[in-house]
Amino acid sequence: MSGDTLSAPESAPGGTLQSLPAALAAEQALLAAVLAKDRKAAAEFVSRYADPVYAYVSRRLAPRADRVDDVVQDVFLVAFQKLASFGGQSSVVGWLLGIARHKVEDVYRRQLREPDPLPDLDEPWPGSTVEQGVEELIDAARAEEKTRLILARLPEAYSAALLWRYWEQRSIKDMAAQTGKTEKALERLLARARAAFRRLWEATQP
Amino acid sequence: MNDDDFLTRLAALTDAAAAAGRAPARLKSRLYSALVAQQAAAGPLRSLPSTQAAGGHLCVFEHVLRVVPNEQVASMNPCRVCHARVLAERFESPPIYWPHCPYVDFQKR
């Protein structure tokens, strides 16, 4: 929208630079309008913030793209419910990503709480001290694509455990507390997941 | 490098490399519909004359409601029964072209 009150700050994604105070003032005006139930402000809110939330959620739930839309929608519904209590201590994007992180962890938690249908796979990974794969890390974009493909091939519980532990950097203790599993059980699950991931990594063409 | 170190490094590397994806217009349409419906369920929306006075541009259907001298009508949400919403929530590039329609705007960004 192009009105004076609710127009997007030009420092918004895709725009040109604008002074920080002006951008913050525009953001506050937008939030006030949303709280006043202005439908055009709601549309502007979605336009401005859906992309970063979507990017985060889709990365964290990859390859389960079918769940991304529902999680993003949950994030925005919760945000609108809590908007009045948002005090502006962080940016709106940071606040939304905080909500998104909780929603993503809800998905991980559900996946890990399900009874473990996984075969008791593997002996410890034999190449646990080898240097294989280091060169591949140099090419980040290629590694990202390869990671996505491998996570898609793993059982859901494996990919959820790996994403939660390594990409969200949650401790095993935290994960255990949130899933009701013992730390030992989670360590075993992670060991199997890592081994399966590593085996596919080395078997997959770069 | 053991498996734990390998995955720790891989996570840091791929997170930095991940491209920022854009949300599909279809999803933005769904979000907008859900948010406005949630707000409408908790009480009347800001009236269309007030919305316009605050700088919001109205679509043709909202203009029609705006001229009705009834506060309840002026706070209605015509998107709820609009074909543009139905199409935009289901298709990524629907044939909708109304000026100042949020669902059309989501296609452009």
Side-chain angles (χ1 to χ4, degrees):
Chain A
M1 64 195 300
S2 59
D4 292 339
T5 312
L6 302 177
S7 58
E10 293 187 12
S11 58
T16 54
L17 288 177
Q18 187 188 36
S19 71
L20 184 60
L24 290 174
E27 191 170 86
Q28 288 305 313
L30 177 63
L31 298 185
V34 170
L35 283 170
K37 297 191 182 181
D38 184 306
R39 63 199 85 191
K40 302 300 175 181
E44 181 61 37
F45 189 92
V46 169
S47 286
R48 202 183 295 183
Y49 300 119
D51 287 341
V53 173
Y54 177 82
Y56 171 79
V57 172
S58 56
R59 280 207 305 276
R60 287 295 184 263
L61 293 186
R64 272 83 203 183
D66 54 315
R67 294 180 187 155
V68 172
D69 286 9
D70 289 340
V71 171
V72 172
Q73 183 164 322
D74 280 351
V75 171
F76 275 82
L77 289 174
V78 168
F80 262 41
Q81 284 166 357
K82 295 186 172 176
L83 198 58
S85 61
F86 171 63
Q89 301 90 341
S90 63
S91 67
V92 175
V93 169
W95 177 62
L96 287 170
L97 293 180
I99 297 172
R101 183 177 186 188
H102 286 296
K103 291 291 175 188
V104 164
E105 288 187 335
D106 286 344
V107 175
Y108 293 160
R109 198 176 300 120
R110 279 197 298 274
Q111 287 175 345
L112 294 184
R113 273 183 183 160
E114 284 169 7
D116 189 356
L118 303 166
D120 192 12
L121 291 173
D122 309 315
E123 65 281 5
W125 179 249
S128 61
T129 58
V130 299
E131 291 296 324
Q132 282 176 303
V134 175
E135 298 84 358
E136 289 177 86
L137 295 182
I138 294 167
D139 186 339
R142 196 173 56 179
E144 200 270 334
E145 173 67 9
K146 189 169 170 179
T147 300
R148 196 177 56 76
L149 290 172
I150 292 173
L151 288 172
R153 292 177 62 188
L154 290 176
E156 282 197 6
Y158 283 180
S159 56
L162 293 174
L163 285 164
W164 206 1
R165 175 74 185 93
Y166 294 100
W167 277 263
E168 283 294 338
Q169 299 174 15
R170 277 303 182 120
S171 69
I172 291 174
K173 188 176 177 182
D174 272 356
M175 291 168 66
Q178 295 206 37
T179 56
K181 290 181 182 283
T182 64
E183 291 182 37
K184 275 280 178 211
L186 269 170
E187 279 169 4
R188 281 197 300 273
L189 175 68
L190 275 165
R192 295 201 302 269
R194 282 193 299 262
F197 185 97
R198 186 70 177 250
R199 189 167 42 250
L200 284 171
W201 180 270
E202 298 191 352
T204 303
Q205 291 301 313
Chain B
M1 184 188 320
N2 65 32
D3 292 347
D4 190 56
D5 292 340
F6 175 79
L7 276 152
T8 300
R9 289 183 59 183
L10 184 64
L13 188 75
T14 56
D15 236 13
R22 289 181 67 84
R26 180 182 42 74
L27 174 60
K28 289 180 181 174
S29 299
R30 275 183 52 192
L31 291 175
Y32 172 68
S33 302
L35 293 174
V36 174
Q38 179 178 270
Q39 290 193 316
L45 299 174
R46 177 182 264 183
S47 72
L48 290 166
S50 300
T51 299
Q52 192 174 32
H57 293 292
L58 306 185
C59 77
V60 62
F61 302 112
E62 290 168 333
H63 268 299
V64 170
L65 294 183
R66 185 185 63 85
V67 299
V68 176
N70 179 315
E71 184 67 20
Q72 203 173 355
V73 173
S75 294
M76 282 176 62
N77 175 24
C79 298
R80 202 168 53 85
V81 292
C82 184
H83 72 290
R85 177 189 64 77
V86 175
L87 290 170
E89 288 180 7
R90 286 162 179 75
F91 302 103
E92 196 54 26
S93 297
I96 51 176
Y97 308 101
W98 301 107
H100 308 308
C101 166
Y103 298 101
V104 174
D105 291 343
F106 293 142
Q107 316 294 320
K108 297 175 185 166
R109 301 199 188 200

